[in-house]
Amino acid sequence: MENEKLLEVKNLQKHFKVGRNKVVKAVDGVTFDIYKGETFGLVGESGSGKSTTGRTIIRLYDASGGEVKFNNEDVHGKKSKDELLKFNRNMQMIFQDPSSSLNPRMTVMDIIAEGLDVHKLVKDEKERKERVEELLEVVGLNREHASRFPHEFSGGQRQRIGIARALAVDPEFIIADEPISALDVSIQAQVVNLLKKLQKERGLTYLFIAHDLSMVKYISDRIGVMYLGNMVELADSDELYKNPLHPYTKSLLTAIPLPDPEYERARKRVSYDASLLDTSEEPEFREVSPRHWVRCTTKEFEQYKKQVKNK
């Protein structure tokens, strides 16, 4: 997908001070680009730094280092109130837990219309009501739901309300931070299919953050794998699944259960042991084959190149 870059992340760092002397390097030098119209999947276990990466990109956290450019503009530079409003309109977020991200004291109408009000996108109450009701239908809910409160809905319905809220300001880019992890498996596919449909209809670009690799493959064009604050592998979705190179990626892939009892009994799972990695030099993010990047040392780089050549 070699079209125009929408987001450029270079050596992004987010460190948290814990106590008097300890620093937690939640994100420690992550680099990747996202192109217009694509879905970039970001995966890793809890604590890998993937959600912190998303939140730092959208300025919920200030970056400790590195840079983020959105539409060629520096995200973390000083911005005027108008510039911040424009940025916030173009980039929206769908949160992991719809129960805690929706204000329980607000009606669905007011929750979805919040962005319309802030950005002054409607001229009167009639237009406001019409826009909200249209958005409810777009995400598969009914117009009558506008007068209800969040607690009156199921988890899947609440997530649809969260999606409608993000769509209200007509953004270009949406960060979906584990948007399906709090939902039943039967509902997860519905929400992901809705996101895919909206992307096609509205030309949206997504950063889709999750720990479930099987669902990430289904929605993503390219996937980045994070481990302890670093990006360890990045490739096209199919390539990552067919030819994983980094041992951590292999361990994640072999942990995905398949609905085949005989295959599951015979399958060997790969466990990741970081102590076995080459520590003779600091690893770097290198392109092993076209569009396939791995964080590795020079020695590992040569081994990976041979591995790819022999496939």
Side-chain angles (χ1 to χ4, degrees):
M1 190 168 285
E2 293 300 330
N3 48 359
E4 195 180 338
K5 280 181 192 175
L6 182 65
L7 186 83
E8 297 173 71
V9 179
K10 291 182 184 172
N11 196 32
L12 182 66
Q13 297 172 326
K14 178 57 191 172
H15 300 169
F16 294 97
K17 197 170 180 184
V18 181
R20 196 172 290 176
N21 301 314
K22 193 180 177 189
V23 173
V24 175
K25 296 179 179 180
V27 179
D28 196 31
V30 168
T31 297
F32 61 93
D33 300 323
I34 298 180
Y35 297 93
K36 282 190 177 179
E38 82 165 334
T39 298
F40 186 93
L42 198 56
V43 298
E45 295 168 303
S46 295
S48 63
K50 58 191 187 301
S51 288
T52 304
T53 299
R55 286 162 184 253
T56 307
I57 287 169
I58 203 170
R59 284 185 63 127
L60 288 177
Y61 297 142
D62 290 326
S64 304
E67 65 175 354
V68 179
K69 283 189 174 178
F70 181 67
N71 274 328
N72 287 318
E73 289 184 18
D74 183 19
V75 167
H76 287 274
K78 283 187 178 176
K79 291 191 181 298
S80 66
K81 192 180 175 185
D82 287 345
E83 286 172 327
L84 277 173
L85 272 175
K86 185 186 171 190
F87 169 73
N88 291 335
R89 185 181 170 184
N90 283 331
M91 191 186 292
Q92 287 285 304
M93 194 164 200
I94 300 165
F95 293 92
Q96 176 178 358
D97 184 2
S99 304
S100 59
S101 64
L102 304 178
N103 189 330
R105 295 184 181 87
M106 289 170 71
T107 63
V108 168
M109 172 73 74
D110 290 336
I111 287 168
I112 295 173
E114 209 169 3
L116 298 174
D117 299 339
V118 169
H119 296 279
K120 298 179 174 58
L121 299 177
V122 288
K123 60 180 185 290
D124 54 33
E125 276 295 320
K126 184 172 180 285
E127 190 183 351
R128 183 182 190 259
K129 182 173 181 286
E130 282 173 2
R131 285 285 294 274
V132 171
E133 288 177 346
E134 279 171 20
L135 284 161
L136 282 168
E137 289 189 334
V138 163
V139 298
L141 295 171
N142 301 326
R143 287 174 176 255
E144 299 75 46
H145 288 147
S147 59
R148 296 189 192 172
F149 290 86
H151 72 268
E152 299 178 62
F153 296 90
S154 67
Q157 288 174 319
R158 281 196 290 261
Q159 196 55 287
R160 287 172 188 266
I161 294 164
I163 293 168
R165 176 177 60 183
L167 291 175
V169 294
D170 199 19
E172 205 174 346
F173 180 60
I174 292 178
I175 297 173
D177 183 13
E178 302 227 33
I180 57 172
S181 65
L183 306 177
D184 290 343
V185 175
S186 58
I187 307 298
Q188 288 181 357
Q190 293 176 20
V191 172
V192 168
N193 285 333
L194 172 63
L195 290 172
K196 288 183 84 165
K197 177 173 171 277
L198 292 169
Q199 182 176 41
K200 198 174 178 184
E201 291 171 353
R202 294 170 176 248
L204 292 165
T205 305
Y206 293 137
L207 171 59
F208 189 88
I209 300 167
H211 59 262
D212 180 356
L213 260 167
S214 54
M215 196 56 83
V216 171
K217 180 181 187 290
Y218 177 64
I219 194 172
S220 303
D221 299 292
R222 291 183 302 136
I223 297 173
V225 180
M226 284 193 69
Y227 177 72
L228 293 183
N230 295 118
M231 182 87 74
V232 294
E233 189 159 4
L234 191 163
D236 292 339
S237 181
D238 286 340
E239 169 67 13
L240 191 83
Y241 271 71
K242 287 175 188 167
N243 301 313
L245 296 174
H246 197 279
Y248 178 67
T249 309
K250 290 179 180 178
S251 74
L252 286 183
L253 286 168
T254 60
I256 300 172
L258 294 175
D260 182 340
E262 291 205 5
Y263 177 81
E264 284 295 317
R265 272 196 295 271
R267 175 160 71 153
K268 287 181 181 174
R269 279 174 168 70
V270 176
S271 58
Y272 179 58
D273 186 352
S275 66
L276 298 176
L277 291 179
D278 182 1
T279 55
S280 59
E281 66 172 281
E282 183 66 26
E284 290 178 22
F285 210 43
R286 307 167 199 250
E287 194 170 18
V288 175
S289 63
R291 295 166 61 89
H292 194 154
W293 295 74
V294 185
R295 190 170 190 263
C296 56
T297 61
T298 309
K299 186 180 171 185
E300 288 166 340
F301 180 56
E302 296 304 324
Q303 289 170 347
Y304 291 148
K305 280 205 295 187
K306 280 182 192 170
Q307 207 173 311
V308 169
K309 202 175 176 183
N310 294 333
K311 284 280 179 187

